[in-house]
Amino acid sequence: MPIDFRNTNTVWASVLAETLQRLGLTTAVICPGSRSAPLTIAFAQNKKIETIPILDERSASFFALGTAQKSYLPTALICTSGTAAANFYPAIIEARESRIPLLIFTADRPPELRDCHAGQAIDQVKIYGNYPNWQAELAIPSASTGMLDYLRQTIVYAWERSQFPTPGPVHLNIPFRDPLVPVPDIAVEVLETQFNPEEFFAGLEPIFAGESSTPPSPPLLRGGEESTMQQWQKCDRGIIIAGVAQPQLVEKYCSAIAQISKSLNWPVLAEGLSPVRNYAQLNPHLISTYDLILRNRELADKLTPEIAIQIGDLPTSKELRNWLDKTQPKRYIIDPSHHNFDPLHGQTIHLRTSVENLATILTLVPPLNKGGLGGVLTTATTNISPQIPPLNKGESTPVPPLSKGGLGGVLTSPSNEYLQLWRNTEIQVRQTIDQKISAINNIIEPKVSWLLSQILPPETPIFIANSMPVRDVEFFWKPNNLEIKPFFNRGANGIDGTLSTALGVAHRNQSSIMLTGDLTLLHDTNGFLIKNKFVGHLTIILINNNGGGIFEMLPVAKFDPPFEDFFATPQDINFAQLCATYGVEHEVIEDWEHFKQKLISLPNSGIRVLEVQTDRRADAKWRQDNLSKFAKDS
């Protein structure tokens, strides 16, 4: 029997664990502690749930975040009472902002041991403020069938609320009275004779969010005399912004964006953290250099859009945000969640639907005749730029071919000069970047992202740290057909828990990559303690420029002191010695050929650090000298 009838606490905790297992829980991350002993024992005894012990609560919470990012399923996170729970807070904030499902179970002392200096007792009720999707404190465990019914249904509701209507964290605070260990209690013997597990758990089946089926909101279907869709079709100066995204069905997501782009004949401005850049052949009008293009003010003015379809979060690019704020196109934001995705507070309409639903609906709208020129359904490619040969998987190109392998008809408009300007500029800027960076022989940080987009094994998961790495990826990541899977913590954009999250993504996954700076890695070195329980492989590409490189790009860099000590904050760490402490493989990259050889194929197990030593000030100067020139030199 899956229920442990040794005492009231063991019954309570094992019903909780068994209910979650039947609902679909596969992973629980558990931190050590006494008050949480009933939960720890119950989860450890449930053979269908992988239970992972992690010492540091902050590291544990971010590891759980990573496993949930990868699986799109809730991960359970368990700790004892006191400040242990407080250490979960940063990951819970990230889970809320990134819409990642987490189930947090914090053990607590019973009410009679609170506010009386009983020790390891703090106020844990609603400790995470407004960040959980839902939060509650469970009743004191009780050995009665009615209370077990209450427990089961509360857990079902918690599981549902972690996924619906928008994924995110759910917190249950669980008080336990002694005994916390499974010593026998004759009081539960009667309950065991009355308990029928088949009847008790009848009707419990896995509940998963899966693919969003949220219906389109009303503005999508009507808009005065003509529908929103027809307004889009009439517009020759429209753009699609493929922002930061971690979709569950990646190819379907990228195909949907491609379908919308082809139907409207609009370019797709794809963020480096979007998988769209790694499925280049699907998207005929892919623009990857928009940040650099928009630094050319003359071009930026010529490219002013009338309508913008924003899919999910805005890209990282400050240039793009400023341009949208200045030009004020009518903006439609596509995302099924209830979140507000408009930090610019423009004339936006949130369409609460998925991009896949939108693409399907758009195919049902009859095309408009644009002045006798456009609006013809054809499978021919548009003659607007030099033709690019089709790609094999793994090759990269500045602009993907317009149609490939059965993607169907394309609504073309030979007169669309706006699209032609975007595409021609993309080709020219991409060629300028490639020529410039390929000629660099010395170790320089911007070349790392550019190379990674071309040499990683197909479908490699890569966790990209915040600060400078995400920006270099946006600037320099080349369109490719490698189907690389980007992961990141761009909800709150912090550096805490980065290593632990990456290990969570890589756990029981394909051999994975983490791209990070030195300060971000140092902020979470306790993540290396997960090594003995980690299954899989993670290669950490460590950009060591001895400090915060992103601050070199900001105005504060001109004010030293206090810049170097209080902003750049160099730590002067010997990473070879640090890695040796944790038993992690370490190697310094000597040149670009060495870098390629280490990444063309990846090991199957373990953790290794490839340290790329760069000059922080020289890297910043290179960006400052070149970013604004790429679009001018093209």
Coordinates of all heavy atoms in Angstrom, one line a residue, residues 32 134 249 312 368 388 609:
P32 N 17.6 19.4 3.4 CA 17.6 18.7 4.7 C 17.0 19.6 5.8 O 17.0 20.8 5.8 CB 19.1 18.5 4.9 CG 19.8 19.6 4.1 CD 18.9 19.8 2.9
W134 N -1.1 30.8 -6.2 CA -2.1 30.5 -5.1 C -1.2 30.1 -3.9 O -0.2 29.5 -4.1 CB -3.1 29.4 -5.5 CG -4.0 29.0 -4.4 CD1 -5.0 29.8 -3.9 CD2 -4.1 27.8 -3.7 NE1 -5.7 29.2 -2.9 CE2 -5.2 27.9 -2.8 CE3 -3.4 26.6 -3.8 CZ2 -5.6 26.9 -1.9 CZ3 -3.8 25.6 -2.9 CH2 -4.9 25.7 -2.0
L249 N 6.4 23.1 -27.6 CA 6.5 22.5 -28.9 C 7.2 23.4 -29.9 O 6.6 24.2 -30.5 CB 5.1 22.1 -29.4 CG 4.3 21.2 -28.5 CD1 2.9 21.0 -29.0 CD2 5.0 19.8 -28.3
G312 N 4.8 37.2 -27.3 CA 5.4 37.1 -26.0 C 6.1 38.3 -25.5 O 5.8 39.4 -25.8
L368 N -6.9 39.6 -49.0 CA -7.4 40.9 -49.7 C -6.6 41.1 -50.9 O -5.4 40.8 -51.0 CB -7.3 42.0 -48.7 CG -8.1 42.0 -47.4 CD1 -7.9 43.3 -46.6 CD2 -9.6 41.9 -47.8
I388 N 19.3 32.6 -51.8 CA 20.2 31.9 -50.9 C 19.9 30.4 -51.1 O 18.7 30.0 -51.0 CB 19.9 32.3 -49.4 CG1 20.0 33.8 -49.3 CG2 20.9 31.6 -48.5 CD1 21.3 34.4 -49.6
V609 N 34.2 22.9 -17.0 CA 34.3 24.3 -17.2 C 35.3 24.6 -18.3 O 36.5 24.2 -18.1 CB 34.6 25.1 -15.9 CG1 34.9 26.5 -16.2 CG2 33.5 24.9 -14.9

